[in-house]
Amino acid sequence: MIEVSELIKDSDFAESYAVHRKQGIWEKGRFHWKEKQRFYYTGVIQPATEKELEQLDTGDRQKFVMKFLCAYPDEIFVTQQKEQEGIFSDMIECSGKFYKVIKVKNWRYSGGYCRAFAVEVEHGDSENS
């Protein structure tokens, strides 16, 4: 098996970026933010290829999509399926722009890395994002 996690952090290929993570819960019909965190990662950042865009929902293909790779133990999340989890899609800040994660491919146990696709958004610290 090829171990790519070292290449992902290699300074010849990698860049730094910030991952913003929000968690919260529903109480009495209103959503309350309980925790906001910021993590600093180093990894490969590239525009998504045409073939990778084919794997995304049609509406997301119309937006500018970037690909972010990180090596474990770093991890990127998309909105959890279970409402009680209260974890929402990470926002990634890179070169002064913000991107909302829309899809994550996880190779934690067979390669030691994570690949996330994210679309550019207007701003990243909105309570609605």
Side-chain angles (χ1 to χ4, degrees):
M1 177 178 353
I2 298 173
E3 177 63 49
V4 298
S5 61
E6 288 183 26
L7 287 173
I8 290 172
K9 291 186 175 186
D10 188 309
S11 61
D12 291 336
F13 306 106
E15 297 178 51
S16 296
Y17 56 93
V19 175
H20 301 264
R21 186 164 298 144
K22 297 180 181 180
Q23 290 182 276
I25 59 170
W26 287 97
E27 292 178 339
K28 299 180 183 176
R30 301 190 123 211
F31 190 81
H32 299 280
W33 295 112
K34 293 294 183 188
E35 185 176 2
K36 296 180 184 181
Q37 299 173 304
R38 181 181 299 170
F39 305 96
Y40 295 96
Y41 292 173
T42 300
V44 176
I45 304 168
Q46 302 173 331
T49 65
E50 286 186 36
K51 187 161 183 87
E52 290 167 332
L53 289 173
E54 290 175 7
Q55 299 171 18
L56 302 175
D57 292 332
T58 305
D60 291 326
R61 291 184 213 166
Q62 306 306 314
K63 302 171 186 167
F64 185 66
V65 180
M66 291 293 287
K67 175 175 50 179
F68 295 85
L69 288 89
C70 65
Y72 284 97
D74 297 341
E75 195 165 10
I76 299 173
F77 291 102
V78 70
T79 301
Q80 302 296 305
Q81 296 294 329
K82 300 175 187 168
E83 202 173 289
Q84 66 270 19
E85 294 273 345
I87 298 175
F88 293 87
S89 291
D90 287 341
M91 296 292 290
I92 298 175
E93 181 180 358
C94 178
S95 301
K97 295 183 180 182
F98 287 89
Y99 302 86
K100 182 178 181 182
V101 175
I102 57 171
K103 187 168 189 167
V104 174
K105 298 268 188 167
N106 184 331
W107 283 280
R108 182 177 193 163
Y109 301 108
S110 60
Y113 72 101
C114 174
R115 180 175 68 182
F117 295 96
V119 294
E120 188 174 348
V121 294
E122 290 295 317
H123 52 81
D125 202 26
S126 165
E127 290 298 304
N128 299 321
S129 59

PDB file of all heavy atoms in Angstrom, residues 17-35:
ATOM      1  N   TYR A  17      -3.721  26.139   5.423  1.00  0.00           N
ATOM      2  CA  TYR A  17      -5.087  26.651   5.375  1.00  0.00           C
ATOM      3  C   TYR A  17      -5.743  26.431   6.727  1.00  0.00           C
ATOM      4  O   TYR A  17      -5.280  25.638   7.540  1.00  0.00           O
ATOM      5  CB  TYR A  17      -5.905  26.020   4.239  1.00  0.00           C
ATOM      6  CG  TYR A  17      -5.988  24.509   4.249  1.00  0.00           C
ATOM      7  CD1 TYR A  17      -7.044  23.857   4.877  1.00  0.00           C
ATOM      8  CD2 TYR A  17      -5.032  23.735   3.606  1.00  0.00           C
ATOM      9  CE1 TYR A  17      -7.142  22.479   4.866  1.00  0.00           C
ATOM     10  CE2 TYR A  17      -5.113  22.348   3.596  1.00  0.00           C
ATOM     11  CZ  TYR A  17      -6.167  21.725   4.224  1.00  0.00           C
ATOM     12  OH  TYR A  17      -6.265  20.363   4.221  1.00  0.00           O
ATOM     13  N   ALA A  18      -6.809  27.183   6.976  1.00  0.00           N
ATOM     14  CA  ALA A  18      -7.532  27.081   8.250  1.00  0.00           C
ATOM     15  C   ALA A  18      -8.868  26.400   8.025  1.00  0.00           C
ATOM     16  O   ALA A  18      -9.559  26.667   7.037  1.00  0.00           O
ATOM     17  CB  ALA A  18      -7.755  28.468   8.847  1.00  0.00           C
ATOM     18  N   VAL A  19      -9.239  25.521   8.948  1.00  0.00           N
ATOM     19  CA  VAL A  19     -10.524  24.835   8.910  1.00  0.00           C
ATOM     20  C   VAL A  19     -11.360  25.354  10.077  1.00  0.00           C
ATOM     21  O   VAL A  19     -10.930  25.295  11.219  1.00  0.00           O
ATOM     22  CB  VAL A  19     -10.357  23.311   9.009  1.00  0.00           C
ATOM     23  CG1 VAL A  19     -11.715  22.619   9.084  1.00  0.00           C
ATOM     24  CG2 VAL A  19      -9.561  22.782   7.823  1.00  0.00           C
ATOM     25  N   HIS A  20     -12.542  25.904   9.767  1.00  0.00           N
ATOM     26  CA  HIS A  20     -13.460  26.413  10.777  1.00  0.00           C
ATOM     27  C   HIS A  20     -14.566  25.379  10.976  1.00  0.00           C
ATOM     28  O   HIS A  20     -15.220  24.988  10.014  1.00  0.00           O
ATOM     29  CB  HIS A  20     -14.082  27.745  10.332  1.00  0.00           C
ATOM     30  CG  HIS A  20     -13.059  28.803  10.060  1.00  0.00           C
ATOM     31  ND1 HIS A  20     -12.706  29.738  10.997  1.00  0.00           N
ATOM     32  CD2 HIS A  20     -12.306  29.070   8.969  1.00  0.00           C
ATOM     33  CE1 HIS A  20     -11.794  30.548  10.496  1.00  0.00           C
ATOM     34  NE2 HIS A  20     -11.526  30.156   9.261  1.00  0.00           N
ATOM     35  N   ARG A  21     -14.775  24.945  12.213  1.00  0.00           N
ATOM     36  CA  ARG A  21     -15.771  23.920  12.516  1.00  0.00           C
ATOM     37  C   ARG A  21     -16.764  24.455  13.537  1.00  0.00           C
ATOM     38  O   ARG A  21     -16.375  25.062  14.527  1.00  0.00           O
ATOM     39  CB  ARG A  21     -15.074  22.679  13.062  1.00  0.00           C
ATOM     40  CG  ARG A  21     -16.013  21.500  13.281  1.00  0.00           C
ATOM     41  CD  ARG A  21     -15.244  20.209  13.441  1.00  0.00           C
ATOM     42  NE  ARG A  21     -14.493  19.945  12.210  1.00  0.00           N
ATOM     43  CZ  ARG A  21     -13.283  19.398  12.188  1.00  0.00           C
ATOM     44  NH1 ARG A  21     -12.687  19.050  13.294  1.00  0.00           N
ATOM     45  NH2 ARG A  21     -12.667  19.195  11.044  1.00  0.00           N
ATOM     46  N   LYS A  22     -18.050  24.238  13.257  1.00  0.00           N
ATOM     47  CA  LYS A  22     -19.114  24.690  14.157  1.00  0.00           C
ATOM     48  C   LYS A  22     -19.975  23.511  14.561  1.00  0.00           C
ATOM     49  O   LYS A  22     -20.280  22.648  13.753  1.00  0.00           O
ATOM     50  CB  LYS A  22     -19.997  25.730  13.473  1.00  0.00           C
ATOM     51  CG  LYS A  22     -19.285  26.998  13.101  1.00  0.00           C
ATOM     52  CD  LYS A  22     -20.242  27.954  12.423  1.00  0.00           C
ATOM     53  CE  LYS A  22     -19.558  29.223  12.006  1.00  0.00           C
ATOM     54  NZ  LYS A  22     -20.468  30.157  11.341  1.00  0.00           N
ATOM     55  N   GLN A  23     -20.369  23.521  15.829  1.00  0.00           N
ATOM     56  CA  GLN A  23     -21.299  22.523  16.344  1.00  0.00           C
ATOM     57  C   GLN A  23     -22.393  23.251  17.107  1.00  0.00           C
ATOM     58  O   GLN A  23     -22.171  24.315  17.674  1.00  0.00           O
ATOM     59  CB  GLN A  23     -20.599  21.559  17.295  1.00  0.00           C
ATOM     60  CG  GLN A  23     -19.638  20.627  16.617  1.00  0.00           C
ATOM     61  CD  GLN A  23     -19.017  19.683  17.607  1.00  0.00           C
ATOM     62  OE1 GLN A  23     -18.043  20.024  18.247  1.00  0.00           O
ATOM     63  NE2 GLN A  23     -19.579  18.504  17.728  1.00  0.00           N
ATOM     64  N   GLY A  24     -23.563  22.648  17.123  1.00  0.00           N
ATOM     65  CA  GLY A  24     -24.666  23.248  17.853  1.00  0.00           C
ATOM     66  C   GLY A  24     -25.801  22.263  18.030  1.00  0.00           C
ATOM     67  O   GLY A  24     -25.709  21.110  17.621  1.00  0.00           O
ATOM     68  N   ILE A  25     -26.884  22.742  18.657  1.00  0.00           N
ATOM     69  CA  ILE A  25     -28.044  21.885  18.903  1.00  0.00           C
ATOM     70  C   ILE A  25     -29.325  22.684  18.685  1.00  0.00           C
ATOM     71  O   ILE A  25     -29.331  23.913  18.753  1.00  0.00           O
ATOM     72  CB  ILE A  25     -28.030  21.308  20.334  1.00  0.00           C
ATOM     73  CG1 ILE A  25     -28.020  22.437  21.370  1.00  0.00           C
ATOM     74  CG2 ILE A  25     -26.862  20.375  20.549  1.00  0.00           C
ATOM     75  CD1 ILE A  25     -28.255  21.962  22.789  1.00  0.00           C
ATOM     76  N   TRP A  26     -30.406  21.946  18.442  1.00  0.00           N
ATOM     77  CA  TRP A  26     -31.730  22.543  18.337  1.00  0.00           C
ATOM     78  C   TRP A  26     -32.370  22.540  19.717  1.00  0.00           C
ATOM     79  O   TRP A  26     -32.426  21.502  20.371  1.00  0.00           O
ATOM     80  CB  TRP A  26     -32.606  21.752  17.366  1.00  0.00           C
ATOM     81  CG  TRP A  26     -32.205  21.958  15.940  1.00  0.00           C
ATOM     82  CD1 TRP A  26     -31.406  21.149  15.198  1.00  0.00           C
ATOM     83  CD2 TRP A  26     -32.595  23.034  15.102  1.00  0.00           C
ATOM     84  NE1 TRP A  26     -31.258  21.665  13.937  1.00  0.00           N
ATOM     85  CE2 TRP A  26     -31.989  22.823  13.853  1.00  0.00           C
ATOM     86  CE3 TRP A  26     -33.398  24.167  15.274  1.00  0.00           C
ATOM     87  CZ2 TRP A  26     -32.155  23.691  12.780  1.00  0.00           C
ATOM     88  CZ3 TRP A  26     -33.563  25.029  14.213  1.00  0.00           C
ATOM     89  CH2 TRP A  26     -32.950  24.791  12.979  1.00  0.00           C
ATOM     90  N   GLU A  27     -32.850  23.693  20.171  1.00  0.00           N
ATOM     91  CA  GLU A  27     -33.570  23.802  21.431  1.00  0.00           C
ATOM     92  C   GLU A  27     -34.796  24.679  21.226  1.00  0.00           C
ATOM     93  O   GLU A  27     -34.678  25.822  20.794  1.00  0.00           O
ATOM     94  CB  GLU A  27     -32.687  24.441  22.518  1.00  0.00           C
ATOM     95  CG  GLU A  27     -31.532  23.596  22.956  1.00  0.00           C
ATOM     96  CD  GLU A  27     -30.666  24.302  23.994  1.00  0.00           C
ATOM     97  OE1 GLU A  27     -30.695  25.546  24.090  1.00  0.00           O
ATOM     98  OE2 GLU A  27     -29.967  23.587  24.715  1.00  0.00           O
ATOM     99  N   LYS A  28     -35.977  24.108  21.521  1.00  0.00           N
ATOM    100  CA  LYS A  28     -37.233  24.847  21.414  1.00  0.00           C
ATOM    101  C   LYS A  28     -37.395  25.525  20.053  1.00  0.00           C
ATOM    102  O   LYS A  28     -37.780  26.682  19.956  1.00  0.00           O
ATOM    103  CB  LYS A  28     -37.334  25.887  22.535  1.00  0.00           C
ATOM    104  CG  LYS A  28     -37.302  25.256  23.919  1.00  0.00           C
ATOM    105  CD  LYS A  28     -37.392  26.300  24.998  1.00  0.00           C
ATOM    106  CE  LYS A  28     -37.280  25.639  26.354  1.00  0.00           C
ATOM    107  NZ  LYS A  28     -37.262  26.583  27.433  1.00  0.00           N
ATOM    108  N   GLY A  29     -37.068  24.784  18.996  1.00  0.00           N
ATOM    109  CA  GLY A  29     -37.276  25.274  17.644  1.00  0.00           C
ATOM    110  C   GLY A  29     -36.228  26.249  17.143  1.00  0.00           C
ATOM    111  O   GLY A  29     -36.343  26.759  16.036  1.00  0.00           O
ATOM    112  N   ARG A  30     -35.196  26.515  17.906  1.00  0.00           N
ATOM    113  CA  ARG A  30     -34.140  27.437  17.490  1.00  0.00           C
ATOM    114  C   ARG A  30     -32.799  26.718  17.549  1.00  0.00           C
ATOM    115  O   ARG A  30     -32.573  25.900  18.422  1.00  0.00           O
ATOM    116  CB  ARG A  30     -34.087  28.666  18.398  1.00  0.00           C
ATOM    117  CG  ARG A  30     -35.389  29.423  18.392  1.00  0.00           C
ATOM    118  CD  ARG A  30     -35.237  30.732  19.097  1.00  0.00           C
ATOM    119  NE  ARG A  30     -35.638  31.718  18.107  1.00  0.00           N
ATOM    120  CZ  ARG A  30     -35.161  32.924  18.022  1.00  0.00           C
ATOM    121  NH1 ARG A  30     -34.269  33.348  18.860  1.00  0.00           N
ATOM    122  NH2 ARG A  30     -35.597  33.752  17.100  1.00  0.00           N
ATOM    123  N   PHE A  31     -31.942  27.101  16.635  1.00  0.00           N
ATOM    124  CA  PHE A  31     -30.610  26.501  16.631  1.00  0.00           C
ATOM    125  C   PHE A  31     -29.650  27.370  17.423  1.00  0.00           C
ATOM    126  O   PHE A  31     -29.611  28.586  17.253  1.00  0.00           O
ATOM    127  CB  PHE A  31     -30.094  26.320  15.199  1.00  0.00           C
ATOM    128  CG  PHE A  31     -28.854  25.492  15.157  1.00  0.00           C
ATOM    129  CD1 PHE A  31     -28.927  24.119  15.210  1.00  0.00           C
ATOM    130  CD2 PHE A  31     -27.612  26.092  15.100  1.00  0.00           C
ATOM    131  CE1 PHE A  31     -27.785  23.343  15.198  1.00  0.00           C
ATOM    132  CE2 PHE A  31     -26.472  25.332  15.089  1.00  0.00           C
ATOM    133  CZ  PHE A  31     -26.557  23.960  15.138  1.00  0.00           C
ATOM    134  N   HIS A  32     -28.881  26.739  18.303  1.00  0.00           N
ATOM    135  CA  HIS A  32     -27.905  27.449  19.134  1.00  0.00           C
ATOM    136  C   HIS A  32     -26.512  26.885  18.866  1.00  0.00           C
ATOM    137  O   HIS A  32     -26.300  25.680  18.980  1.00  0.00           O
ATOM    138  CB  HIS A  32     -28.231  27.279  20.628  1.00  0.00           C
ATOM    139  CG  HIS A  32     -29.567  27.817  20.990  1.00  0.00           C
ATOM    140  ND1 HIS A  32     -29.798  29.148  21.196  1.00  0.00           N
ATOM    141  CD2 HIS A  32     -30.757  27.189  21.165  1.00  0.00           C
ATOM    142  CE1 HIS A  32     -31.070  29.323  21.490  1.00  0.00           C
ATOM    143  NE2 HIS A  32     -31.678  28.148  21.470  1.00  0.00           N
ATOM    144  N   TRP A  33     -25.581  27.778  18.530  1.00  0.00           N
ATOM    145  CA  TRP A  33     -24.194  27.366  18.346  1.00  0.00           C
ATOM    146  C   TRP A  33     -23.604  27.077  19.710  1.00  0.00           C
ATOM    147  O   TRP A  33     -23.691  27.886  20.616  1.00  0.00           O
ATOM    148  CB  TRP A  33     -23.371  28.458  17.657  1.00  0.00           C
ATOM    149  CG  TRP A  33     -23.812  28.753  16.262  1.00  0.00           C
ATOM    150  CD1 TRP A  33     -24.400  29.891  15.814  1.00  0.00           C
ATOM    151  CD2 TRP A  33     -23.726  27.886  15.133  1.00  0.00           C
ATOM    152  NE1 TRP A  33     -24.679  29.791  14.483  1.00  0.00           N
ATOM    153  CE2 TRP A  33     -24.275  28.576  14.036  1.00  0.00           C
ATOM    154  CE3 TRP A  33     -23.231  26.601  14.949  1.00  0.00           C
ATOM    155  CZ2 TRP A  33     -24.343  28.026  12.771  1.00  0.00           C
ATOM    156  CZ3 TRP A  33     -23.299  26.054  13.680  1.00  0.00           C
ATOM    157  CH2 TRP A  33     -23.846  26.758  12.614  1.00  0.00           C
ATOM    158  N   LYS A  34     -23.006  25.919  19.867  1.00  0.00           N
ATOM    159  CA  LYS A  34     -22.407  25.527  21.143  1.00  0.00           C
ATOM    160  C   LYS A  34     -20.886  25.623  21.109  1.00  0.00           C
ATOM    161  O   LYS A  34     -20.262  25.864  22.123  1.00  0.00           O
ATOM    162  CB  LYS A  34     -22.806  24.089  21.518  1.00  0.00           C
ATOM    163  CG  LYS A  34     -24.273  23.953  21.823  1.00  0.00           C
ATOM    164  CD  LYS A  34     -24.627  24.733  23.070  1.00  0.00           C
ATOM    165  CE  LYS A  34     -26.084  24.535  23.419  1.00  0.00           C
ATOM    166  NZ  LYS A  34     -26.526  25.400  24.485  1.00  0.00           N
ATOM    167  N   GLU A  35     -20.305  25.396  19.963  1.00  0.00           N
ATOM    168  CA  GLU A  35     -18.852  25.378  19.900  1.00  0.00           C
ATOM    169  C   GLU A  35     -18.382  25.785  18.507  1.00  0.00           C
ATOM    170  O   GLU A  35     -18.921  25.337  17.503  1.00  0.00           O
ATOM    171  CB  GLU A  35     -18.349  23.965  20.219  1.00  0.00           C
ATOM    172  CG  GLU A  35     -16.870  23.853  20.291  1.00  0.00           C
ATOM    173  CD  GLU A  35     -16.422  22.454  20.699  1.00  0.00           C
ATOM    174  OE1 GLU A  35     -17.275  21.573  20.887  1.00  0.00           O
ATOM    175  OE2 GLU A  35     -15.208  22.268  20.808  1.00  0.00           O
TER     176      GLU A  35
END
